[in-house]
Amino acid sequence: MRVVITGASGVIGSVLRERLPARYDMVAFDRRREHGAIGRLDTTQAKAVTRAFAGADAVIDLAASSTLETPWPEVWKNNVPATMNALEAARVSGAKLFVFASSNHVTGGYERDPPYSHIVAGRLNGLDPASVTKLDGRVPLRPDSPYAVGKAFGEAAARYYAEQHGLRVICLRIGTVRADDTPKQPRHYATLLTHADLVHLYERVLESPPDLLFGVYYGVSANTWRFWDIEEPRKAIGFQPQDDVERLRSRAVG
């Protein structure tokens, strides 16, 4: 399977390039070329994206200004056209699968409300993790930032391309992925997606059933205090995360 990755020099792209199985023929691009293994590609340039995607069986689209503080003008100038160009190029090139890196922040507004607000602040006394209602791909969107609005737009555009053009699209609402693979604040104990579980998630997506036309799934490790559903992706694509970062909490304290 020939897999094209955009945004390949970021944290997620770097992990996938290094750790996805060798059976995938990986072609990596980024706006900034770091070394010979990564080609330079500005995804706001439609013709360049179409050329880069030629011959792709699957596209892993990670290209975006990815910080939560990204202002709306940057989202409008960069993220939105980059997503549309990538979807259109995947359609034109004949790719069978498009994997869109959405964000958990498309529903970040729920974290203003209990019990989620208590969990992200680390105020866990009196809470039972088993009783916390898990957010899944069907809950109404509540973006918490212009960055998240751009990702919500991407999910809508992805669904259009799936239903109107038959392009298989899976949107991943990715949790917290850190370069050092460890939690650094209370919220991370609920939201962290470890590198091992990240690779497993993308492998399961690449091997997903060919009759799965469209899906929206959260990507998070099996953390005790997670508040995102992983039952949907378990049933649909076989995602079974193994890590629970709760084991690191006592180590951080003691």
Side-chain angles (χ1 to χ4, degrees):
M1 182 185 294
R2 186 174 179 85
V3 181
V4 172
I5 302 181
T6 66
S9 67
V11 173
I12 294 175
S14 297
V15 172
L16 295 179
R17 285 190 298 107
E18 293 171 3
R19 298 181 60 173
L20 274 175
R23 66 176 178 272
Y24 301 117
D25 176 18
M26 312 290 291
V27 182
F29 294 100
D30 198 279
R31 177 178 289 186
R32 298 170 298 175
R33 180 184 298 176
E34 292 195 341
H35 50 71
I38 301 178
R40 188 177 184 278
L41 177 65
D42 182 352
T43 51
T44 65
Q45 304 299 312
K47 291 183 179 179
V49 181
T50 300
R51 289 194 297 269
F53 286 9
D57 297 303
V59 173
I60 294 176
D61 183 33
L62 303 170
S65 298
S66 58
T67 63
L68 189 61
E69 295 76 22
T70 302
W72 177 247
E74 178 67 14
V75 172
W76 183 252
K77 178 182 177 181
N78 180 74
N79 292 13
V80 169
T83 297
M84 290 303 299
N85 288 342
L87 282 164
E88 178 63 9
R91 181 191 72 82
V92 171
S93 71
K96 301 298 188 295
L97 175 65
F98 187 91
V99 190
F100 176 58
S102 185
S103 170
N104 64 85
H105 289 284
V106 299
T107 53
Y110 290 95
E111 296 179 30
R112 302 188 186 104
D113 305 333
Y116 312 110
S117 58
H118 297 304
I119 294 172
V120 299
R123 300 193 300 269
L124 306 179
N125 290 340
L127 291 179
D128 176 6
S131 68
V132 175
T133 299
K134 304 297 191 295
L135 306 176
D136 61 24
R138 296 166 294 182
V139 300
L141 299 180
R142 289 181 63 184
D144 60 9
S145 59
Y147 165 76
V149 171
K151 291 298 187 181
F153 168 86
E155 289 188 6
R159 182 150 211 159
Y160 168 80
Y161 269 82
E163 294 184 350
Q164 295 298 317
H165 298 295
L167 175 65
R168 293 182 57 224
V169 183
I170 295 180
C171 302
L172 298 177
R173 294 177 178 174
I174 300 172
T176 304
V177 179
R178 291 180 48 81
D180 62 7
D181 208 19
T182 58
K184 284 295 184 291
Q185 56 181 262
R187 182 177 184 270
H188 295 169
Y189 288 95
T191 64
L192 197 76
L193 175 63
T194 65
H195 292 184
D197 287 336
L198 169 71
V199 173
H200 169 64
L201 173 63
Y202 271 87
E203 187 175 5
R204 296 318 307 152
V205 170
L206 292 173
E207 302 297 331
S208 59
D211 60 349
L212 178 60
L213 182 63
F214 181 80
V216 177
Y217 309 120
Y218 284 92
V220 63
S221 288
N223 305 321
T224 298
W225 287 99
R226 64 179 172 80
F227 44 82
W228 301 320
D229 174 78
I230 55 176
E231 186 63 16
E232 277 188 320
R234 184 191 69 78
K235 291 179 178 178
I237 61 174
F239 175 54
Q240 299 190 67
Q242 299 299 306
D243 294 327
D244 181 352
V245 296
E246 190 65 20
R247 73 188 189 281
L248 301 176
R249 193 188 299 267
S250 60
R251 187 182 307 173
V253 173

